[in-house]
Amino acid sequence: MNGGKAKRPYQICVNCIMDTSDSSIVFDARGWCDYCNNYHENILPHWHPDATGEAELAPVIDKIKRDGRGRDHDCIIGVSGGVDSSYVTYVAKAKFGLRPLIFHVDAGWNSQQAVNNIERLVDGLGLDLHTEVIDWLEMKDLQLAFFKAQVPHIDTPQDHAFFAALYNFAAKHGFKYVLTGANYSTECVREPLEWHYHASDLRQLTDIHRRFGTRPLTTFPTADIFKFKLYYRFIKGVRVVKPLNHVRYLKDEAIQELVDKFGWQRYPHKHYESRFTRFYEGYWLVRKFGYDKRRAHFSSLILTKQMSRNEALVRIAERPYNEETVAQDFEYVATKLGLTVAELKEIMRGENKTYRDYKSRMPMIELGTAALRALGIQKAIIR
Ligand SMILES: [Zn+2]
């Protein structure tokens, strides 16, 4: 249940709501966890979601515009239909006057709501949309392989496709700037790796597919973490820009702005723009492993003063989604993957594994992360 480590007594942070469901969490004498201490020591002092931050970003925006002269688009943004990627699209066009190409990956699980939200945003802002459709038979085979591997991170095939398709496209078509919705405001507490392993670890993806897959991946987009971090960055010159860390970005306020301006529809919870993600975060992770991603998300909102700790405690005690929807989604997921409900239940009952049970690039990733932390580039805790 907890990655093979010895059980420790239950403890919850007195400042946020992270607890010992992260088996490596460390508490200080006050009862504060290491996410809270890291936030105050390493993130907050360098994070300026205000005029200072905008001034920091201004030269970057100018450079994106200069470098993009004569091109149809000066940057590219991967959009899922969720709030972070939607809001960064709005900020890029309406606030900064950039000319982004909107890039969307259809991995077969979009909710109608997500599709509507992307269309409204693209139409409302007068942008161009490029949609890449993943071959469903390959996607299905890879997803089934991850289910059979009994790991928590069964969202890896979807995440890997999103990220690899975007960066491969950017590099191929000479885009120098990828804008992302990554932000401290809603994500300063990152889920530990035992909950959510690196989707960009191609070695792990390949190993799991080799063991449990049945069909070759011929068109499925792949890009290893090092291709992305080193080759694309330094050889192809693709830069990643995170504008939401430089502007005022508060979740409820941002959603309201999108609703008012574009008729954007709100989701019941972060990342529920995909029916698969809803099943994975709300059911698979919670029921099979005891990992509740809302815990990290609510803790981020507590640290950034967008939710009180009391409200978070009340909400985390409720089920992520109601029993009726769970049953519907369970059947939907099973059928779509070519399983019966009984077969999916059988998989759910299997022995839990972790990313450590399969080949991975973890030793090299740890080295890289240590280097980035030493250079002060990587500020969030990743473990
Ligand atoms: Zn804490």
Side-chain angles (χ1 to χ4, degrees):
M1 280 289 281
N2 57 357
K5 292 184 187 173
K7 269 252 178 257
R8 55 193 284 199
Y10 181 79
Q11 190 172 350
I12 184 168
C13 176
V14 298
N15 186 58
C16 72
I17 62 164
M18 289 303 283
D19 66 5
T20 39
S21 60
D22 170 0
S23 65
S24 305
I25 196 167
V26 177
F27 296 99
D28 68 12
R30 297 176 298 173
W32 282 42
C33 75
D34 46 347
Y35 293 104
C36 287
N37 285 321
N38 183 66
Y39 175 75
H40 286 282
E41 282 161 25
N42 296 318
I43 296 177
L44 199 54
H46 308 283
W47 177 35
H48 310 289
D50 49 28
T52 308
E54 287 193 34
E56 283 167 2
L57 190 62
V60 179
I61 301 294
D62 286 345
K63 183 146 181 14
I64 296 174
K65 287 180 180 168
R66 275 202 310 278
D67 291 352
R69 273 187 203 136
R71 294 179 51 103
D72 289 343
H73 308 97
D74 50 22
C75 60
I76 187 165
I77 304 179
V79 168
S80 65
V83 57
D84 297 338
S85 61
S86 296
Y87 199 73
V88 76
T89 299
Y90 163 63
V91 164
K93 174 76 198 286
K95 273 204 169 167
F96 296 133
L98 293 173
R99 298 176 293 120
L101 174 66
I102 303 309
F103 188 90
H104 176 63
V105 175
D106 178 354
W109 294 96
N110 274 336
S111 64
Q112 189 54 45
Q113 213 176 325
V115 175
N116 292 346
N117 279 343
I118 294 170
E119 280 174 2
R120 283 173 191 176
L121 195 66
V122 164
D123 291 347
L125 290 165
L127 298 171
D128 295 328
L129 172 67
H130 175 92
T131 299
E132 196 141 314
V133 181
I134 306 297
D135 179 279
W136 172 245
L137 294 177
E138 290 186 22
M139 184 72 200
K140 181 167 109 173
D141 193 55
L142 186 58
Q143 284 189 308
L144 257 180
F146 271 77
F147 274 83
K148 290 176 183 164
Q150 301 285 347
V151 289
H153 49 290
I154 54 169
D155 64 326
T156 286
Q158 186 177 262
D159 271 11
H160 192 93
F162 291 169
F163 132 93
L166 172 66
Y167 286 93
N168 291 348
F169 182 94
K172 186 177 169 196
H173 292 92
F175 281 89
K176 297 295 177 202
Y177 300 94
V178 175
L179 270 55
T180 84
N183 68 90
Y184 293 131
S185 176
T186 64
E187 305 175 329
C188 62
V189 176
R190 298 265 295 260
E191 303 97 1
L193 288 178
E194 62 181 338
W195 298 12
H196 189 252
Y197 185 64
H198 296 294
S200 53
D201 186 338
L202 186 57
R203 187 156 194 250
Q204 173 122 123
L205 183 142
T206 308
D207 189 43
I208 287 179
H209 186 251
R210 186 183 56 79
R211 295 198 202 193
F212 302 104
T214 57
R215 150 189 297 273
L217 301 179
T218 50
T219 61
F220 185 84
T222 55
D224 190 52
I225 187 163
F226 293 107
K227 185 177 187 184
F228 155 63
K229 293 264 186 197
L230 302 175
Y231 176 71
Y232 284 168
R233 168 72 183 84
F234 295 105
I235 309 297
K236 303 293 275 185
V238 180
R239 297 286 307 263
V240 177
V241 182
K242 301 172 181 172
L244 295 186
N245 281 340
H246 299 269
V247 298
R248 180 182 169 93
Y249 179 53
L250 301 171
K251 193 183 155 205
D252 288 342
E253 196 180 278
I255 289 174
Q256 195 56 53
E257 219 172 326
L258 293 171
V259 169
D260 294 343
K261 289 202 158 73
F262 307 103
W264 199 88
Q265 287 176 282
R266 57 184 80 233
Y267 305 94
H269 191 71
K270 185 176 166 72
H271 293 161
Y272 282 14
E273 60 267 21
S274 147
R275 262 186 110 165
F276 178 82
T277 309
R278 184 165 77 179
F279 169 82
Y280 150 71
E281 291 190 0
Y283 193 81
W284 177 271
L285 271 186
V286 178
R287 304 277 178 101
K288 186 167 164 60
F289 293 89
Y291 303 152
D292 194 333
K293 289 181 79 158
R294 297 177 306 165
R295 197 172 281 288
H297 180 221
F298 293 165
S299 292
S300 295
L301 296 179
I302 293 170
L303 286 177
T304 56
K305 300 188 163 55
Q306 300 176 71
M307 188 185 279
S308 73
R309 186 169 180 276
N310 278 341
E311 186 188 348
L313 286 170
V314 170
R315 288 182 57 184
I316 200 80
E318 297 162 0
R319 290 271 194 203
Y321 62 129
N322 67 47
E323 292 302 320
E324 200 181 317
T325 321
V326 167
Q328 282 169 7
D329 276 8
F330 202 92
E331 194 177 345
Y332 180 82
V333 169
T335 308
K336 203 163 156 72
L337 291 175
L339 301 169
T340 63
V341 168
E343 284 167 338
L344 182 52
K345 283 193 172 149
E346 186 60 36
I347 291 175
M348 286 284 304
R349 278 194 294 272
E351 189 195 340
N352 289 351
K353 306 280 182 165
T354 79
Y355 68 85
R356 296 181 205 92
D357 290 305
Y358 302 97
K359 288 181 186 166
S360 79
R361 294 227 188 274
M362 206 49 209
M364 282 174 82
I365 292 171
E366 276 170 346
L367 265 179
T369 307
L372 290 177
R373 282 192 79 80
L375 294 168
I377 297 168
Q378 178 66 52
K379 299 215 165 57
I381 290 183
I382 296 182
R383 63 166 173 248

